[in-house]
């Protein structure tokens, strides 16, 4: 627009005066309406009017419309200064003694953003309010600790143990609920996860309210993040959902200190303008807090818009540079471009110019933004607050590229910090970096307590338990504990759906069940739940579904129970996390069941699942159509051979690979007992398959062995002569082991005991615990692990085969007595029939047979010639290429 000449200045002035009249007499809302009508009319008339989602590079809220803080600004400034100092002191002390790292600069830039929240906005749970949820930006954790210390929630000893946790009584480096279960609520330092988890948390809060399970009135979700963090795809990837769902309970606060971890975020542009366009285009309410109060008189003088023009011209690399220099530099390089601007600041000293503050450091501007965000209805809000990274660090790091890595400050910088924030620390104590506290009868401490009392009490009190749920007994799943019957075949995926239906109808826990699917509910056989439970929608169903006349029609409902998240595993997992932590965040236990293609679970959103472990989630993850060879026809990026290996890396993830429906029922029922009744902080990963086959009845007394990880499925005839082997199988490959046992007996007179291994991972974990106990109690009678108890008294080599990489079964090798051979599906998946895939990956009945015979030959129980004959008889090509390399 600026490049176009004004061909009629008088007409332009008339339009501007008309607009000014509307603004003065009828307000900005009316002006916005009229401008919209004009644009609409122009476009209907064929004019090309390109859309811009940006507004001027000034504060969104005009000075005259700012809500004024009811607080005591002087006292709040003193509290904030103490918090700043203690946050810095904690990091400096830790690095003087142990060099464990820590961050000063991020919180230094965000101190005001947090302080205003603590003093005026963040509710703790109370009788009158359910409590707000705050996602703290991970690198700001020292500031949160410093505030909690001043409030009496943490001790000096704990601050002295910052990042020193092994001996206990320490403070975790970042927000980690697993390490500080009564303090932190959400792990956020894996950047990008905080924003997406907060977004789906806000949506889940609406879900709970719609279903009448929790009173969510007035509750807000606040999520803090850095501008550099917004480059993470998870940060912006789901923001349209927030506006589509009208999540006015969600407030993002982006700390725009214009720096990533190594330098400027958008050195050649403006990150605030970029983010404004993204969020406004996505339908959010955007509040920019760019300039502090000291700029207000200058902006009021800017009748021709020249100052605003200069503000817009400068790029972020320049703005960073201005704050790394001094007032004289700013006068010359910012105001000096235009003589009129130099004249505007002619009566200001260099110190006055240096004091021109940024909005994110101005408590008045921040309060006004927060107040507006809390009142806003119908849209989520994002606050873009401009700050300075390393604010107050002076020559040690203020606005410098190296500031993120700064862990030390010299005497000169410490004195400058002290003087800048008016702290009473004598020169002879400055190098000790003492912690500052308020006396209990001081105005500051009394003020902190009063402000928090108004908001429900001190904030950092994470709830660790909720009301226990009565879990149905195993007998409630009788239909899946019995044999499927002659000629009736089904998959474990269908068994899961039957179990889920039983749970959803249960009078005690039915309403607490949260079925979640990323998409393809019909693939997993869940379409029967559409009509029964409904798919949750904040607006219900505003259309007649295409399949309305069918029994299992697609039903959306305000009170629906199913969360169908579309093709969005990260979003669905974030919903699962919100439900899996509802016992803590909402005081009610919810039981989420999220089923997904197993290949698109741990591989695609493994970072979120790791965060779920940190967050002490409780719920079920179901890896559908699991295994490298069961999802025939889909190919390399669908066929999973390693999710169980990844799952094993998460300490509180309990994982199973069941074969039969009764195994699945036993595992889920016990998981409910552990998580909902005993309230253990574990969650489950269970793989289910889409292959149909008959299911036998549960063997008598097998329940505990199923849960421990293995049980004897079929024993060879006790009086049979001939060599003996132990065949271990899991998932669908157990059935190949059963077939191999028949071949071994029929053709080679080899006896095989068949073991169903429901979890190699749980077997290993139990064995490790037992061996650790034995090592540390050398004079006590040694305990025996379940693996050793099962296999120790049985003869012959042990052969294990699974639909996963060899590493999965190989993890118990240390505890298997005697010879141990492992077959698995190493390599990339590919498309073909199940039979051909199992042959290709060398895990079918024929390869299990050959592996058993070779193990017996190595022990001298059969001849090598027998193995060679078997290879030929079974049609195996010994020169076939290794599937790993193909």
């Amino acid at each position: 627009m600026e490049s176009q000449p004004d061909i009629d200045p008088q007409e332009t002035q008339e339009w501007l005066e008309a607009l000014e009249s509307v603004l003065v007499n009828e307000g900005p809302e009316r002006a916005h309406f009229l401008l919209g009508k004009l644009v609409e009319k122009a476009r209907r008339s064929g004019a090309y009017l390109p859309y811009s989602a940006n507004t001027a590079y000034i504060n969104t809220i005009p000075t005259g419309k700012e809500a004024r803080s009811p607080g005591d600004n002087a006292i709040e400034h003193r509290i904030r200064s103490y918090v700043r100092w203690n946050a810095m002191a904690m990091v400096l002390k830790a690095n003087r003694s142990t060099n464990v790292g820590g961050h000063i600069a991020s919180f230094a830039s965000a101190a005001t953003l947090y302080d205003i929240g603590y003093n005026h906005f963040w509710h703790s749970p109370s009788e009158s309010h359910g409590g707000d949820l705050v996602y703290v930006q991970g690198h700001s954790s020292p500031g949160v600790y410093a505030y909690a210390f001043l409030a009496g929630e943490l001790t000096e000893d704990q601050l002295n143990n910052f990042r020193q946790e092994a001996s206990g009584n320490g403070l975790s480096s970042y927000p980690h609920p697993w390490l500080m279960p009564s303090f932190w609520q959400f792990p956020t330092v894996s950047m990008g996860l905080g924003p997406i988890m907060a977004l789906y948390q806000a949506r889940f809060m609406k879900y709970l309210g719609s279903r009448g399970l929790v009173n969510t009135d007035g509750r807000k979700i606040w999520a803090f993040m850095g501008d550099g963090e917004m480059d993470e795809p998870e940060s912006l990837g789901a923001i349209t959902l927030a506006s589509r769902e009208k999540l006015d309970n969600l407030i993002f606060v982006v700390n725009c200190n214009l720096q990533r971890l190594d330098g400027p975020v958008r050195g050649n542009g403006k990150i605030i303008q970029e983010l404004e366009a993204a969020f406004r285009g996505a339908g959010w309410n955007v509040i920019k807090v760019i300039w502090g109060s000291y700029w207000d008189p200058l902006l009021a003088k800017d009748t021709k818009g020249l100052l605003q023009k200069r503000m817009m011209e400068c790029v972020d690399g320049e703005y960073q540079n201005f704050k790394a220099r001094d007032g004289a530099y700013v006068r010359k390089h910012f105001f000096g471009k235009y003589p009129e601007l130099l004249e505007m600041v002619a009566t200001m000293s260099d110190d006055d110019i240096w004091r021109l503050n940024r909005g994110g450091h101005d408590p008045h501007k921040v309060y006004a933004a927060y107040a507006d965000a809390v009142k806003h209805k119908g849209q989520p809000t994002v606050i873009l607050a401009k700050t300075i990274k390393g604010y107050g660090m002076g020559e040690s790091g203020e606005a410098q590229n190296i500031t993120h890595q700064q862990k030390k400050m010299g005497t000169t910088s410490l004195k400058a910090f002290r003087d800048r924030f008016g702290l009473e620390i004598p020169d002879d104590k400055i190098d000790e970096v003492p912690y500052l506290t308020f006396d209990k009868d001081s105005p500051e401490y009394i003020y902190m307590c009063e402000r928090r009392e108004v908001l429900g009490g001190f904030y950092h009190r994470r709830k660790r338990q909720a009301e226990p749920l009565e879990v149905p007994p195993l007998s409630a799943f009788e239909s899946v504990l019995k044999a499927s019957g002659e000629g009736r075949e089904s998959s474990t995926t269908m068994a899961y759906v039957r179990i889920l239906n039983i749970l959803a109808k249960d009078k005690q826990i039915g309403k607490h069940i949260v079925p979640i699917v990323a998409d393809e509910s019909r693939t997993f056989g869940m379409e029967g739940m559409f009509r029964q439970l409904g798919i949750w929608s904040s607006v219900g169903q505003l259309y007649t579904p295409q399949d309305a006349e069918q029994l299992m029609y697609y039903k959306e409902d305000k009170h629906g129970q199913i969360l169908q998240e579309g093709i969005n595993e990260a979003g669905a997992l974030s919903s699962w996390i919100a439900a899996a932590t509802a016992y803590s965040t909402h005081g009610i236990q919810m039981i989420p069941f999220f089923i997904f293609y197993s290949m698109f679970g741990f591989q695609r959103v493994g970072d979120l699942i790791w965060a779920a472990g940190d967050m002490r989630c409780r719920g079920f993850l179901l890896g559908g159509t699991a295994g490298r060879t069961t999802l025939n026809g889909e190919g390399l990026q669908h066929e999973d051979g390693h999710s169980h290996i990844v799952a094993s890396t998460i300490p509180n993830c309990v994982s199973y690979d069941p074969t039969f429906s009764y195994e699945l029922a036993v595992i889920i029922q016990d998981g409910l007992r552990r998580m909902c009744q005993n309230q253990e902080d574990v969650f489950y990963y269970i793989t289910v398959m889409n292959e149909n086959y008959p299911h036998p009845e549960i063997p008598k007394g097998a329940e505990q062995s199923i849960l421990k990880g293995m049980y004897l499925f079929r024993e060879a005839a006790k009086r049979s002569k001939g060599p003996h082997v132990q065949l271990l199988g899991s998932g669908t490959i157990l059935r190949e082991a059963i077939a191999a046992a028949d071949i071994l007996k029929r053709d080679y007179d080899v006896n095989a005991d068949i073991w169903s291994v429901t979890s190699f991972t749980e077997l290993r974990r139990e064995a490790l615990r037992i061996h650790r106990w034995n090592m540390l109690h050398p004079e006590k009678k040694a305990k025996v692990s379940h693996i050793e108890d099962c296999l120790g008294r049985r003869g012959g080599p042990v052969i294990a085969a699974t639909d996963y990489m060899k590493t999965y079964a190989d993890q118990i090798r240390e505890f298997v007595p005697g010879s141990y051979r492992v077959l698995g599906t190493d390599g990339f998946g590919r498309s073909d029939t199940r039979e051909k895939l199992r042959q290709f990956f060398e895990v079918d009945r024929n390869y299990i047979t050959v592996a058993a015979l070779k193990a017996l030959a190595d022990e001298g129980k059969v001849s090598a010639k027998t193995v060679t004959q078997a290879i030929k008889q079974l049609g195996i090509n010994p020169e076939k290429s290794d599937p790993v390399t193909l």
Side-chain angles (χ1 to χ4, degrees):
M1 291 294 292
E2 292 182 3
S3 61
Q4 298 180 13
D6 189 348
I7 59 174
D8 192 341
Q10 183 176 347
E11 182 184 38
T12 302
Q13 187 60 33
E14 290 172 357
W15 277 93
L16 291 175
E17 289 174 357
L19 178 61
E20 180 65 25
S21 176
V22 174
L23 286 168
V24 170
N25 296 301
E26 300 183 64
E29 291 79 10
R30 176 63 178 167
H32 183 270
F33 173 81
L34 291 174
L35 289 171
K37 285 293 185 181
L38 289 172
V39 170
E40 181 183 342
K41 174 64 176 176
R43 285 177 173 158
R44 286 178 180 274
S45 300
Y48 172 68
L49 299 179
Y51 169 75
S52 173
N54 278 123
T55 60
Y57 196 63
I58 57 173
N59 295 346
T60 302
I61 304 173
T63 304
K65 292 186 176 293
E66 292 172 347
R68 302 304 295 174
S69 170
D72 186 316
N73 292 319
I75 288 182
E76 288 186 16
H77 174 75
R78 187 160 174 79
I79 293 170
R80 192 160 55 246
S81 298
Y82 270 47
V83 171
R84 288 181 183 279
W85 175 269
N86 287 338
M88 175 193 66
M90 179 171 43
V91 176
L92 296 181
K93 285 174 177 285
N95 283 281
R96 286 179 178 180
S97 59
T98 60
N99 198 33
V100 292
H103 300 281
I104 303 172
S106 290
F107 179 74
S109 66
T112 304
L113 301 176
Y114 287 95
D115 180 67
I116 298 301
Y118 278 125
N119 283 328
H120 299 286
F121 292 96
W122 298 340
H123 291 264
S124 293
S126 65
E127 291 184 2
S128 60
H129 197 285
D132 295 322
L133 301 177
V134 180
Y135 289 74
V136 172
Q137 201 272 338
H139 290 99
S140 292
S141 60
V144 175
Y145 293 140
Y147 176 87
F149 169 67
L150 270 187
E153 297 178 275
L154 297 176
T155 66
E156 186 170 330
D157 283 344
Q158 287 177 294
L159 262 61
N160 285 331
N161 285 327
F162 174 59
R163 291 195 169 200
Q164 300 163 69
E165 301 170 89
S167 299
N169 202 38
L171 300 181
S172 60
S173 53
Y174 302 116
H176 291 306
W178 185 261
L179 300 172
M180 296 179 67
S182 298
F183 189 91
W184 289 117
Q185 189 73 260
F186 308 109
T188 53
V189 80
S190 185
M191 287 188 279
L193 300 193
I196 193 170
M197 287 193 296
L199 192 155
Y200 280 88
Q201 179 69 253
R203 181 168 173 267
F204 187 72
M205 189 181 283
K206 295 278 190 181
Y207 166 90
L208 289 175
S210 291
R211 295 189 56 207
L213 296 172
V214 173
N215 181 2
T216 60
D217 292 347
R219 298 182 67 188
K220 299 292 183 181
I221 307 235
W222 297 73
F224 287 77
M225 56 215 74
D227 50 356
E229 183 176 1
M230 304 312 286
D231 285 341
E232 293 282 6
E234 294 90 348
S235 296
L236 295 174
I239 60 174
T240 54
L241 178 139
S243 55
R244 184 170 72 246
E245 298 284 349
K246 298 180 174 59
L247 299 181
D248 51 14
N249 59 342
L250 177 64
I251 300 169
F252 275 14
V253 181
V254 185
N255 178 23
C256 299
N257 57 34
L258 314 186
Q259 282 189 249
R260 290 193 184 98
L261 309 187
D262 285 327
V265 176
R266 294 288 183 272
N268 296 314
K270 282 187 177 63
I271 186 61
I272 288 178
Q273 297 299 91
E274 179 181 322
L275 293 175
E276 178 192 28
F279 280 98
R280 286 190 68 211
W284 285 53
N285 174 42
V286 179
I287 302 174
K288 295 193 291 189
V289 186
I290 301 177
W291 309 112
S293 300
Y294 291 117
W295 284 93
D296 288 345
L298 295 179
L299 287 165
K301 293 180 183 178
D302 186 36
T303 55
K304 296 182 179 180
L306 190 58
L307 178 57
Q308 289 190 37
K309 177 182 177 182
R310 182 67 182 122
M311 289 171 166
M312 193 64 196
E313 287 174 345
C314 285
V315 296
D316 283 351
E318 292 176 286
Y319 280 119
Q320 181 189 341
N321 216 8
F322 293 147
K323 282 302 179 182
R325 302 301 180 90
D326 55 22
Y329 183 90
V330 176
R331 183 190 299 274
K332 178 180 178 181
H333 293 276
F334 179 78
F335 294 103
K337 182 171 182 181
Y338 298 108
E340 296 92 333
L341 294 184
L342 274 177
E343 179 63 27
M344 185 184 288
V345 297
T347 61
M348 296 175 65
S349 67
D350 289 345
D351 287 342
D352 291 335
I353 289 177
W354 183 246
R355 260 194 301 272
L356 292 170
N357 54 342
R358 294 187 176 172
H361 299 301
D362 188 320
H364 306 291
K365 303 294 185 183
V366 173
Y367 180 90
Y370 284 10
D372 187 88
V374 167
K375 290 185 295 184
H376 192 79
K377 300 295 183 184
Q379 290 175 291
T381 293
V382 60
I383 295 168
L384 305 175
K386 189 173 184 176
T387 65
I388 303 162
K389 194 162 187 177
Y391 182 72
M393 292 176 68
E395 63 183 20
S396 290
E398 186 163 345
Q400 297 177 27
N401 284 343
I402 50 86
T403 187
H404 188 76
Q405 285 74 32
Q406 283 297 90
K407 323 292 181 192
K408 300 176 182 179
M409 291 176 66
T411 302
T412 301
S413 293
L414 289 173
K415 288 181 177 179
F417 191 106
R418 174 199 64 187
D419 296 341
R420 185 167 184 172
F421 296 107
L423 302 171
E424 297 174 357
I425 306 171
D427 285 350
D428 61 346
K429 298 289 185 181
I430 196 77
D431 286 328
E432 296 177 16
V433 202
Y435 294 123
L436 303 178
T437 59
F438 297 120
D439 293 333
K440 292 292 189 282
D441 58 354
S442 67
E444 293 84 359
Y445 184 77
I446 292 171
Y447 184 86
M448 290 181 74
C449 293
E450 288 176 346
R451 292 309 310 154
R452 288 311 311 166
E453 186 176 352
V454 169
L455 295 168
F458 283 105
Y459 188 79
H460 303 287
R461 299 177 300 178
R462 179 183 177 274
K463 188 171 185 177
R464 300 187 64 177
Q465 291 192 336
E467 188 71 26
L469 296 177
E470 185 177 333
V471 173
L474 186 59
S475 58
F477 306 95
E478 184 180 6
S479 61
V480 288
L481 298 175
K482 292 181 176 180
S484 56
E486 187 175 349
R488 296 185 63 183
E489 297 185 344
S490 64
S491 66
T492 48
T493 300
M494 291 310 301
Y496 156 70
V497 174
R498 290 171 69 187
I499 291 169
L500 194 58
N501 270 298
I502 292 169
L503 292 173
K505 293 175 182 177
D506 185 85
K507 293 181 180 179
Q508 299 298 323
I509 67 170
K511 66 181 181 181
H512 298 267
I513 301 297
V514 185
I516 302 174
V517 65
D519 201 30
E520 298 205 58
S521 301
R522 300 178 195 278
T523 296
F524 299 121
M526 294 175 64
E527 65 271 25
M529 291 185 166
F530 290 167
R531 183 175 179 181
Q532 174 194 344
L533 301 180
I535 299 164
W536 181 76
S537 166
S538 59
V539 297
Q541 194 155 36
L542 305 179
Y543 62 96
T544 301
Q546 172 270 325
D547 54 359
E549 296 181 359
Q550 298 180 17
L551 179 64
M552 302 180 195
Y553 68 90
Y554 194 85
K555 177 188 175 185
E556 297 188 70
D557 194 292
K558 286 183 179 181
H559 308 292
Q561 199 162 342
I562 301 169
L563 289 175
Q564 189 176 46
E565 306 292 9
I567 305 172
N568 183 358
E569 288 84 3
L573 204 281
S574 296
S575 283
W576 181 87
I577 287 172
T581 53
Y583 70 93
S584 178
T585 54
H586 303 293
I588 183 174
Q589 292 204 72
M590 303 301 290
I591 311 167
F593 287 81
F594 173 28
I595 188 168
F596 50 86
Y597 276 120
S598 63
M599 189 67 160
F600 303 150
F602 278 86
Q603 176 166 297
R604 178 168 293 209
V605 290
D607 196 14
L608 277 165
I609 300 177
W610 182 262
D614 190 352
M615 213 177 311
R616 298 174 174 260
C617 284
R618 303 172 189 167
F620 294 92
L621 297 173
L622 283 298
T625 59
R628 190 82 84 197
T629 69
T630 60
L631 189 59
N632 56 328
E634 289 291 342
L636 186 149
Q637 288 193 302
H638 281 67
E639 293 172 344
D640 162 38
H642 50 274
S643 66
H644 271 291
I645 296 168
V646 183
S648 72
T649 66
I650 302 175
N652 54 342
C653 177
V654 183
S655 60
Y656 289 95
D657 182 36
T659 304
F660 298 120
S661 58
Y662 64 79
E663 295 174 348
L664 186 61
V666 168
I667 292 163
I668 289 178
Q669 193 275 339
D670 193 65
L672 291 169
R673 178 190 64 82
R674 292 182 64 183
M675 293 184 291
C676 302
Q677 195 167 298
N678 297 352
Q679 301 201 58
E680 295 181 43
D681 292 334
V682 296
F683 66 97
Y684 279 64
Y685 175 60
I686 307 172
T687 41
V688 290
M689 284 70 70
N690 66 336
E691 184 173 351
N692 294 323
Y693 46 81
H695 293 256
E697 185 173 357
I698 183 172
K700 188 175 181 179
E703 291 88 347
Q704 288 306 308
S705 292
I706 289 171
L707 296 172
K708 287 182 178 180
M710 68 182 292
Y711 66 97
L712 185 61
F713 176 76
R714 192 178 82 186
E715 187 175 21
K718 291 185 177 179
R719 296 184 180 180
S720 297
K721 296 181 180 179
H724 215 96
V725 296
Q726 307 297 316
L727 300 184
L728 279 57
S730 75
T732 54
I733 304 303
L734 171 62
R735 298 181 65 251
E736 295 297 321
I738 295 169
D742 295 338
I743 295 172
L744 284 166
K745 184 61 181 175
R746 183 189 66 224
D747 298 340
Y748 305 101
D749 199 26
V750 171
N751 302 294
D753 294 330
I754 303 168
W755 299 84
S756 176
V757 180
T758 52
S759 179
F760 284 96
T761 299
E762 297 310 307
L763 285 174
R764 173 178 171 80
R765 287 173 173 173
E766 190 252 12
L768 287 171
R769 288 193 296 269
I770 294 293
H771 278 236
R772 176 183 178 274
W773 190 93
N774 290 340
M775 179 184 73
L776 297 176
H777 301 83
E779 297 185 44
K780 298 283 182 70
K781 181 181 178 181
K783 297 181 179 181
V784 179
S785 70
H786 186 63
I787 304 171
E788 294 160 314
D789 185 51
C790 290
L791 299 176
R793 294 186 298 275
R794 295 182 176 273
V798 180
I799 315 298
T802 78
D803 214 5
Y804 301 90
M805 294 173 64
K806 295 181 179 71
T807 302
Y808 178 52
D810 203 54
Q811 63 182 319
I812 66 168
R813 178 177 296 277
E814 176 186 353
F815 311 106
V816 175
S819 172
Y820 187 47
R821 304 293 174 90
V822 169
L823 304 181
T825 55
D826 295 57
F828 284 119
R830 58 201 60 217
S831 301
D832 216 311
T833 65
R834 295 186 180 105
E835 293 75 18
K836 288 185 178 180
L837 288 173
R838 287 166 188 166
Q839 181 184 49
F840 174 83
F841 283 108
E842 302 173 2
V843 293
D844 68 356
R845 61 198 65 186
N846 295 335
Y847 276 93
I848 295 172
T849 298
V850 169
L853 291 173
K854 179 62 169 66
L856 288 169
D858 290 344
E859 294 183 356
K861 302 291 178 62
V862 302
S863 67
K865 185 176 182 180
T866 299
V867 185
T868 302
Q869 290 173 343
I871 290 172
K872 185 175 181 180
Q873 289 169 355
L874 296 171
I876 293 174
N877 176 10
E879 307 307 320
K880 170 180 170 288
S881 297
D882 189 330
V884 176
T885 62
L886 288 175

